[in-house]
Amino acid sequence: MKLNKLVIALSIAGLAACSSTPTGQPVGSQLVEQVSAVGNELVIPYKKFQLVNGLTLIVHEDHSDPLVHVDVTYHVGSAREELGKSGFAHFFEHMMFQGSEHVGDDEHFKIVTEAGGTMNGTTNSDRTNYFQTVPVNQLETMLWLEADRMGFLLNAVTQEKFEIQRETVKNERGQRIDNQPYGRLGERVAQALYPEGHPYSWPVIGWMDDLNRVNVNDLKAFFLRWYGPNNATLTIGGDVKAEEVLALVEKYFGSIPRGPEVQPMAKPTVSLDKTRYISMEDNVHLPLVYIAYPTVHLFHADEAPLDVLMQIIGSGNNSLLYQNLVKNQLAVQAAASHGCSELACQFALYALPHPASGKTLADMEAVIRNSLAEFEQRGVTDDDLAKIKAEMLSDAIFGLQSVHGKVAQLANYQTLLDNPNYINEQVARYRRVSKEDVMRVYEKYIKGKASVVMSVVPKGQTQLVAAADNFSLPAPVEMGPSTTTADDLHLRVAKDNFDRSVRPTPGANPAVDVPQYWQENWGNGIEVLGTHNDETPTTSLLLKIRGGNYQQNLDKAGVTSILAAMLTESTKSRSSEQMARELEKLGSSIRVSAKDDTMNVFVNSLSENLPATLTLLEEYLFEPAFSQDDFARIQKQSIEGVKNAQKDAGYLASKATRALMYGHSVAGLPDGGTEQTLANITLDDVKAFYHTWFKPQGGEMILVSSLDKAKVFAAMPKLTAWQGSAPDVAPSIGKAQFEPGVIYLVNKDEAAQSAIRVAKPGLVQDITGEFYRTNLMNFPLGGAFNSRINMNLREDKGYTYGAWTGFWGDKYSGTFSASADVRADATKASLEEIYKEIGQYAQSGIRGDELSFMRLAINQKDALKYETPSAKLGFLAQILEFDLKPSFVKERAGIVSSISQAEINALAAKHLKLDEMLTVVVGDAKTLKPELEKLGKKVVEYKL
């Protein structure tokens, strides 16, 4: 991805205006405007067309990588739904992937996957979008697909598909909302914050009662109302020419008739007559208080100063909420947000009290409100404004690193503002915010204003609420079964002069060059691998230091995660707040995380600010204060985090699987440790691990920068001069402690879904050996959306939102795992299907069509592999870790092309033996145990 003659200013000041040039009118369409860069400006160049049928086409040319990103955004989200018909926008997102008149059932995913592409769709309150990134030779195929579901969908929407996707949506809600701690908080707050019937008063995913009562004709009517080309924006970016794209779009989209006209929605001011207290019981560890104020709407003049106010009140460790609640350990978490949508925004503040503090939710509310009053006395500082201005510029520039990122911005601005050319103004409007603006919006929207106060408390502990409920949420709309019939539909029919049933034939897969890189070995033992990348004026750096989770003592597991957190806290010279403030003013980020065998340090910075960022990095790494206060706070937060995670089915499944797979060893424990091991850790343990393991010998640094490497090295004198080596000790991984054929059942009371894991020990990771080949073997079983196991459990049965299988490995261990979160009442049936699919694949192996699909899907991915700095970091890190030559890419491609059906079948038979596998199920044990026993297997209730 390159910016094509675009030079981005590294300072907001003095950004020039862009040129906008209307031109002539090609046949069947109008070129509305052409935007290109003039001078040192922040802009995404594009051409904007409008077809006769109202479709808006935006084309951004980016010739740096042989790929293309296609986005179709429809200006319809949950806000366009009717009372009693919530969830339609999201439901229809699912239906759009089920095949259309000229595209077979479930073929959309398969076609994109075998093209080497990625794809998805998303729905929010205001819009629904569908997008694909593929090698550029696949552009016409993507347009054929998108046009077919825009103009030729309804004849392929059947009652059977409708029923299956209705179950899939229910599973999605179960997994993402009902089975998650605090998952229903947002929808409850929305019901209280917005007037009854307001478009934001119901959740995007909808009320399940609404989805249960409607029929397939209701869904078709929704499509006919909102999915016309005149309510859509087609945005295409990549290695294309605008005029050639226009010709293809005219061919595939031009004949699709307009839909009904769509008018902008009203944006009424939302206000509350008094503060509304509401509460709910949930399966959570800690109570939570959440305070929400209605404010403005997206792109309103007051949105930017409200965002600054939010940062001061509750974003980062310089914020008032952090200082008044988290720093002094009154709360485990406390923060603020200002979420904005097209019609309304919500200024929210929340806190989870620390159990050791003895504070109640009422106390939390009082401290939050006192923090607001403190803001009045504190006011706004120059640093407050500098931080958010730097953040906005940095976010804007980092957003230009991928074609996907640029296309998404163009599409969003066009859909919501009718102006794709808004990126410069988005940054500039924050630059214009003054101290007086921030104080003004505080007075106008927050001070003394009514709010919604939501208390979420553990089940049976209603005495913990901040205050007694004084507001009742609206009762569900009472509506009977839908009576919409096919006769109520007014179909639109496109007339073409070509045969749409003929799938376009793509040209040759584009040649992709492996990034050119340089390598250097510092005298202190750090291997450095880097590449020059001037597509954006940014630098990304990954430093990997030997010594991670595997190097912990068993009874001190979690010491690495605490150390990682402490390495971005206070230093010997500056407080945590001072360090964070300086980093924020640069618009940079420094993250430290503990991995299995390494401590990883990740840096993102505008290249202009890299020297200052690296100065802060070296201070973090080499001058940590190791403050007792910092340690005590982080340790307690870690323990509470583990306790809270115990309410999450996925965490419990992972924890049980690791314990049974690797026994009494560090590998058998969660990465962050357990309550017991975390409580065992002292500050001296953290210091000892740092002094023993934080050494340069054997370290690796990967660098992707627009700067010359000499300039980067000159900015890190302490890193280059660093000396020392860590112990050379191989970790003890542990041995399996499970009995194959037994189902280990972990209890989660009243779980809406069950988490299933079927696993066994596997191979350690390699690049071109048997481990790599097992992943090729796994691809049709559970490695893609169109895999056997996902199509069975999700698309055929409607048991789950997604099911997958895969082989994972590192230098020391490996695992095969099948996973799915399924409807609680389908647990037994889902497990039977998982066993069946694994067993049949192990016995019969891969089909010829699956082998062809796998070869195409994997070997056509190259165009997407190295586009962004992040992708380049990952690629180069792999080369460095395994001491590879660039030729390994071709070697892998050769393996994919030549691996035989017989070899894959032999690998399946060898590595997919059900009688060697562990089964873990997390769910409501009292109801699941008798059902699972019907499988004829021993069921053991496993205590974690």
Side-chain angles (χ1 to χ4, degrees), residues 449-463:
K449 299 298 187 290
S451 59
V452 171
V453 181
M454 172 78 176
S455 298
V456 182
V457 299
K459 290 188 175 181
Q461 300 185 42
T462 55
Q463 76 279 5

Side-chain angles (χ1 to χ4, degrees), residues 301-490:
D302 286 345
E303 180 194 4
L306 280 163
D307 284 348
V308 177
L309 173 65
M310 177 273 294
Q311 294 254 355
I312 297 169
I313 299 295
S315 179
N317 61 9
N318 281 289
S319 68
L320 294 175
L321 292 186
Y322 185 90
Q323 291 296 311
N324 294 339
L325 284 166
V326 180
K327 183 79 171 178
N328 56 18
Q329 299 182 51
L330 296 181
V332 174
Q333 291 180 34
S337 63
H338 187 227
C340 277
S341 298
E342 184 177 15
L343 308 182
C345 301
Q346 180 186 135
F347 194 102
L349 313 98
Y350 74 90
L352 290 81
H354 199 298
S357 71
K359 298 298 182 182
T360 65
L361 291 186
D363 295 328
M364 294 292 101
E365 181 190 358
V367 176
I368 290 172
R369 296 196 183 280
N370 288 338
S371 298
L372 294 175
E374 182 182 343
F375 166 74
E376 290 189 64
Q377 302 301 316
R378 174 195 183 276
V380 184
T381 69
D382 291 336
D383 279 355
D384 293 332
L385 298 180
K387 282 172 13 183
I388 195 164
K389 291 172 183 178
E391 177 185 321
M392 293 305 299
L393 176 63
S394 179
D395 287 351
I397 293 177
F398 276 102
L400 303 177
Q401 291 186 326
S402 70
V403 172
H404 183 169
K406 292 188 290 182
V407 164
Q409 291 184 71
L410 291 169
N412 192 56
Y413 291 145
Q414 169 60 33
T415 300
L416 300 179
L417 292 170
D418 194 27
N419 176 19
N421 186 34
Y422 195 76
I423 185 172
N424 187 32
E425 175 59 21
Q426 174 71 347
V427 174
R429 66 192 187 116
Y430 286 86
R431 179 168 67 93
R432 293 193 293 265
V433 174
S434 68
K435 296 177 182 179
E436 292 75 20
D437 288 330
V438 181
M439 298 305 298
R440 174 181 56 78
V441 297
Y442 169 76
E443 296 275 349
K444 184 173 182 179
Y445 301 104
I446 307 299
K447 182 181 178 181
K449 299 298 187 290
S451 59
V452 171
V453 181
M454 172 78 176
S455 298
V456 182
V457 299
K459 290 188 175 181
Q461 300 185 42
T462 55
Q463 76 279 5
L464 298 179
V465 300
D469 290 13
N470 67 355
F471 179 79
S472 297
L473 298 179
V477 178
E478 293 290 340
M479 302 182 74
S482 172
T483 58
T484 307
T485 68
D487 292 337
D488 299 316
L489 306 177
H490 302 287

Side-chain angles (χ1 to χ4, degrees), residues 62 69 151 401 420 489 823:
D62 176 347
H69 184 80
Q401 291 186 326
L489 306 177
R823 269 190 1 241

Side-chain angles (χ1 to χ4, degrees), residues 532-549:
H532 184 76
N533 180 64
D534 60 2
E535 296 171 14
T536 55
T538 60
T539 295
S540 295
L541 180 152
L542 173 62
L543 175 65
K544 300 171 68 176
I545 302 300
R546 288 185 57 246
N549 297 329

Side-chain angles (χ1 to χ4, degrees), residues 549-554 596-597 658 662-669 729-735 812-813:
N549 297 329
Y550 284 166
Q551 283 70 42
Q552 302 173 110
N553 292 328
L554 184 60
D596 282 347
D597 198 38
R658 291 182 67 149
Y662 299 112
H664 191 64
S665 69
V666 173
L669 294 176
V729 181
S732 175
I733 298 302
K735 296 182 179 180
Y812 306 101
S813 65

Side-chain angles (χ1 to χ4, degrees), residues 65-68 134-140 238-240 508-510 863-864:
D65 294 283
L67 56 81
V68 63
V134 292
V136 68
N137 64 314
Q138 301 288 341
L139 171 62
E140 186 172 1
D239 190 16
V240 298
N509 204 39
L864 282 64

